[in-house]
Each structure stands twice: as C-alpha cells, then as structure tokens.
Amino acid sequence: MARVPSAAAAPVRAGASEEAPVEPDTLLSEAMKPVIAAAEEGAEVSVAVLDVASGDRAVHGNGAFETASIVKVDILATLLLQAQDENRGLTAWERQYATPMIEVSDNASASALWTAIGEAEGLGAANKRFGLTDTEGGAGTLWGLTRTTAADQLTLLQQVFADTGEASALSEASRTYLQGLMGSVAEDQDWGVSAAAATGTTGATGDRFALKNGWLPRTATGLWVVNSIGRVTGADGREFLVSVVSNGNTTKAKGISLLESAARAAVSAFTTKSGTTDRS
C-alpha cells in the first residue's frame, strides 16, 4: 500500500449557504483512499487541487518531494519575473532555450536557464514573491533535485494561470507566454494531470489541458520520482489547477498510473455529486 504524508490544513473559502459544506480537504481525502489502497507498497504521493471558478482548494499530503523536470516551470517563471524587473522581454537567446525546456523537457536548455537565473538563489528569491514557502532549489547545477510540496506547486500554478495581473507577480504577457508553452508539450509527454481533463471539452482558455511533467530514476534506489502539474478542464467545462508529486515508484509507468489516478480523484472531489456545493 502506498504511503501518503499527513494531510495539510489548506485554507478553505466559506460557502455562501447557511449549511456548512463538507470541507474540500475532507472530500479529497475520501477520493484519494482507493488511489492509496491500489498503489504499490512504498510509493508516496501528494496532491493539491484548486477550482478556478470558486477559488476553493484542497491538499492531501504535505511531504517534500524532488521536482525532477516540473521545476522547469519555476525556472521559466523566475526568468520572466527577472526580465520584468529589468523592464524587458525575453531575449532571443532566452527564448531559444525556454521553448524546448517546456515543450520537450530538454535538460540542456534547463541547465542553461538555471545558470542564467542564478541557480537556487535566484529561484528562491522569485519564489518568495510568488508565495512559495516550502520549495528549496537543488544544490549547484542539480536543478532536478529541487524539493517542493504539492501545495507549493499549486501556488506556482496560481501565479501562472491567474485570471488577473493583480493576483500574480507575473505580467499578463509573461503568463500568456508560459501558458502557451505548457499547452504545447510534446504528444508523448501529455500524460499526468491531463488524465483528469474531459475529452472534447474545453474551458475558458480553449484547451483541455496545459501541463509540465517530471520523471527521474534515483541512482541510489532505482526508484522513480514522477510528477505532474498543470491546468485541466473537467467534463462540465470547469477549470482546475492540479499538482501531483510522487516518489518510490518501481517504474516510470507505475508512477504515471499513480499520478493519473490521483489527478482524477482530485478533480472528482469537486465534481461528483457529494463534492458539489452551492458556493455562489
């Protein structure tokens, strides 16, 4: 049976109804029970989800996990924020690396931009402004060993997919650029949180999903870190931000299966009959 770190107490917006709704964390915890029960022994998973329309969010598990390549979203967000501070757009050189870093998860491009932003120090300075509190950059050039939580990755997604500039340290132009790259990932990398998107349904952005995945076999154990973060559109057209992080998977394929089950559970916690409440 998979292990999950203890659930984090995430802030929940009060419902307008006099009847107190079931808290999103509780709904997510219930939805995750069969996912945890079906996972292989020794695997750990944590998930966070936000209903974009209502602003309600839920978190299940608060452990820290290696990011692998999902940190590439944070690297690019940091680069964009630094460029904003300098009152400029990205240079041709920066764009040359940003596109393959996100769309095909090119590691050499990530290494170049990791150096450009000032490695962990630069990432940490930007994350303070983004509101991330539990993310620590990897030592030296080891950007893939950055450690984070599902809750922090959800906060980062809020910065990237915020509806208004007031809600994000990133400008509208920066957000649009990053969203576009996350919506154009290579076809063989569209697994993960995209499993929670409804086929044939598009949301306000006109897309079913936009994401970034990460996967990394650990040399010492042979076990896999497999993660996925992004925005998905559910069957009713509602949009959700979802982050799932995991480790201890014996294969990449089993890690992907665990992620996708967790992502579907996260969205179902807000869309099933028991999880739907009047929040108008």
Side-chain angles (χ1 to χ4, degrees), residues 67 70-71 73-79 81-82 114 117 119-138 146-149 152-153 155-157 159-160 169-170:
T67 58
I70 61 170
V71 75
V73 173
D74 205 358
I75 292 172
L76 183 50
T78 297
L79 180 67
L81 185 62
Q82 291 176 347
W114 177 252
I117 66 170
E119 299 182 342
E121 184 177 356
L123 190 82
N127 281 343
K128 285 183 180 179
R129 296 166 64 183
F130 293 148
L132 279 64
T133 58
D134 295 303
T135 298
E136 183 178 354
T146 296
R147 291 180 65 79
T148 193
T149 63
D152 254 17
Q153 289 303 296
T155 297
L156 179 62
L157 289 172
Q159 291 286 307
V160 174
L170 294 173

Side-chain angles (χ1 to χ4, degrees), residues 182-219:
M182 293 177 69
S184 302
V185 295
E187 188 174 348
D188 64 349
Q189 295 180 24
D190 67 1
W191 46 265
V193 297
S194 57
T199 303
T201 301
T202 59
T205 63
D207 298 312
R208 290 177 50 235
F209 61 84
L211 56 74
K212 182 71 192 79
N213 296 325
W215 58 98
L216 176 70
R218 298 309 310 273
T219 304

Side-chain angles (χ1 to χ4, degrees), residues 1-256:
M1 181 183 295
R3 294 177 294 159
V4 60
S6 58
V12 179
R13 287 174 39 163
S17 170
E18 290 183 5
E19 244 183 68
V22 179
E23 290 191 354
D25 280 352
T26 301
L27 293 170
L28 178 55
S29 180
E30 287 299 312
M32 283 295 293
K33 284 182 178 179
V35 176
I36 301 301
E40 58 184 334
E41 184 176 358
E44 294 185 316
V45 63
S46 181
V47 59
V49 57
L50 179 139
D51 180 341
V52 172
S54 70
D56 287 335
R57 58 182 278 159
V59 180
H60 186 63
N62 59 3
F65 295 74
E66 290 84 8
T67 58
S69 286
I70 61 170
V71 75
K72 292 169 181 174
V73 173
D74 205 358
I75 292 172
L76 183 50
T78 297
L79 180 67
L80 288 165
L81 185 62
Q82 291 176 347
Q84 286 176 205
D85 290 344
E86 297 168 4
N87 295 311
R88 66 174 181 84
L90 295 189
T91 66
W93 180 89
E94 289 166 338
R95 288 177 180 270
Q96 175 187 345
Y97 288 114
T99 298
M101 179 177 73
I102 301 298
E103 292 186 349
V104 299
S105 203
D106 184 69
N107 290 335
S109 296
S111 295
L113 294 183
W114 177 252
T115 299
I117 66 170
E119 299 182 342
E121 184 177 356
L123 190 82
N127 281 343
K128 285 183 180 179
R129 296 166 64 183
F130 293 148
L132 279 64
T133 58
D134 295 303
T135 298
E136 183 178 354
T141 60
L142 302 177
W143 46 262
L145 296 186
T146 296
R147 291 180 65 79
T148 193
T149 63
D152 254 17
Q153 289 303 296
L154 187 63
T155 297
L156 179 62
L157 289 172
Q158 288 179 266
Q159 291 286 307
V160 174
F161 291 96
D163 291 329
T164 63
E166 290 79 14
S168 175
L170 294 173
S171 68
E172 182 179 359
S174 292
R175 289 184 282 109
T176 298
Y177 176 67
L178 187 40
Q179 290 171 24
L181 294 180
M182 293 177 69
S184 302
V185 295
E187 188 174 348
D188 64 349
Q189 295 180 24
D190 67 1
W191 46 265
V193 297
S194 57
T199 303
T201 301
T202 59
T205 63
D207 298 312
R208 290 177 50 235
F209 61 84
L211 56 74
K212 182 71 192 79
N213 296 325
W215 58 98
L216 176 70
R218 298 309 310 273
T219 304
T221 63
L223 300 176
W224 285 77
V225 171
V226 188
N227 305 321
S228 184
I229 62 172
R231 177 200 50 75
V232 301
T233 302
D236 57 1
R238 291 159 64 191
E239 293 187 349
F240 299 88
L241 303 182
V242 185
S243 63
V244 191
V245 288
S246 75
N247 61 28
N249 304 287
T250 57
T251 66
K252 178 183 175 184
K254 289 184 178 179
I256 291 174

